[in-house]
């Protein structure tokens, strides 16, 4: 399964972006609204159209970075938010990133990568987070697809990937998911060990 730049760019070109909510995810918005330090360095990997980055930026978080394999959603974000710094839009493979961050936001990226890369994802997250850095966001708690994204999973499976690298501060059923994801998401807040 080749989930490369061409695969994802074609999804945007043909508007087959069913994961795109068209707005900031409600659980993430609730999390962002309680953040006090607007100077933290935030990454949204596989950010897509990244309404989360737009929301954060518009609310005073100016140190927000979005990484995506496809250039199309980065251009979409730049068009919606012209003053979003282009230097903070990273057209690259997440696994090639070398910068470090205080906070990484997970929103449909984990379910989009080949499941064979999940251990590598957890390790990479650990390496790009600063000391006491946090991985916060949503993971599917549902059986989804086996041959194409989105790929599902469950809490027990995820523990195998993340437990060696993180303290599980919050790892629970999400109570305020977007309407078409009700009962299908876990809200996570993992702190780097």
């Amino acid at each position: 399964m080749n989930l490369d730049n061409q695969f994802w760019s074609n999804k945007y070109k043909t508007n087959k972006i069913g994961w795109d909510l068209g707005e900031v995810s409600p659980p993430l918005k609730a999390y962002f609204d309680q953040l006090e330090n607007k100077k933290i360095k935030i990454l949204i990997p596989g950010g897509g159209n990244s309404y989360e980055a737009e929301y954060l930026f518009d609310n005073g978080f100016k140190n927000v970075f979005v990484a995506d394999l496809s250039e199309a959603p980065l251009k979409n974000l730049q068009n919606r938010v012209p003053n979003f710094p282009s230097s903070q839009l990273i057209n690259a493979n997440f696994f090639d990133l070398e910068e470090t961050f205080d906070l990484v936001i997970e929103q449909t990226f984990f379910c989009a990568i080949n499941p064979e890369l999940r251990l590598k994802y957890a390790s990479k997250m650990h390496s790009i987070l600063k000391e006491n850095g946090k991985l916060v966001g949503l993971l599917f708690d549902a059986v989804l697809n086996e041959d194409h994204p989105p790929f599902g999973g469950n809490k027990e499976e995820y523990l195998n990937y993340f437990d060696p690298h993180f303290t599980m501060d919050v790892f629970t059923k999400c109570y305020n998911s977007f309407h078409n994801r009700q009962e299908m998401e876990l809200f996570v807040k993992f702190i780097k060990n």
Side-chain angles (χ1 to χ4, degrees):
M1 172 174 11
N2 193 7
L3 303 175
D4 61 5
N5 175 7
Q6 186 175 348
F7 174 89
W8 292 109
S9 293
N10 191 52
K11 291 282 188 187
Y12 287 96
K13 187 177 179 181
T14 59
N15 201 33
K16 293 187 177 173
I17 53 173
W19 65 85
D20 190 303
L21 301 179
E23 64 184 71
V24 63
S25 174
L28 292 177
K29 180 182 182 297
Y31 177 76
F32 299 155
D33 287 347
Q34 55 82 49
L35 289 176
E36 294 178 0
N37 182 357
K38 296 195 174 187
K39 295 181 180 179
I40 58 173
K41 188 175 179 184
I42 303 170
L43 171 68
I44 304 174
N49 284 320
S50 206
Y51 302 98
E52 288 72 22
E54 179 178 3
Y55 183 81
L56 285 163
F57 191 78
D58 287 347
N59 283 279
F61 294 86
K62 302 303 182 191
N63 208 5
V64 179
F65 292 75
V66 179
D68 205 286
L69 202 52
S70 173
E71 193 175 12
L74 299 175
K75 286 182 177 179
N76 293 342
L77 176 59
Q78 189 79 79
N79 290 336
R80 285 194 330 268
V81 190
N83 58 339
F84 196 101
S86 58
S87 62
Q88 292 170 215
L89 297 172
I90 307 166
N91 183 209
N93 186 319
F94 163 76
F95 294 103
D96 295 333
L97 297 180
E98 294 185 8
E99 288 189 62
T100 56
F101 302 88
D102 300 296
L103 174 63
V104 178
I105 300 300
E106 171 53 51
Q107 164 67 342
T108 69
F109 177 55
F110 182 81
C111 72
I113 62 172
N114 188 320
E116 294 174 3
L117 295 174
R118 288 180 169 184
L119 271 173
K120 187 176 178 183
Y121 168 105
S123 177
K124 183 65 178 180
M125 280 296 174
H126 184 266
S127 74
I128 66 169
L129 281 166
K130 296 178 182 178
E131 187 176 346
N132 298 314
K134 296 176 185 73
L135 170 61
V136 176
L138 302 160
L139 297 173
F140 277 116
D141 186 26
V143 177
L144 298 175
N145 306 300
E146 292 186 12
D147 60 343
H148 63 85
F151 301 103
N154 59 62
K155 187 174 184 175
E156 293 71 33
E157 175 193 350
Y158 302 151
L159 278 169
N160 294 323
Y161 309 132
F162 295 106
D163 195 46
H165 304 287
F166 295 91
T167 298
M168 313 296 165
D169 188 42
V170 178
F171 199 179
T172 188
K173 282 269 190 199
C174 191
Y175 69 88
N176 57 347
S177 295
F178 194 73
H179 67 87
N180 67 352
R181 296 182 184 170
Q182 292 287 323
E183 305 296 318
M184 294 177 58
E185 293 181 315
L186 297 165
F187 186 82
V188 302
K189 180 179 169 191
F190 299 158
I191 302 172
K192 178 177 177 171
N193 284 344

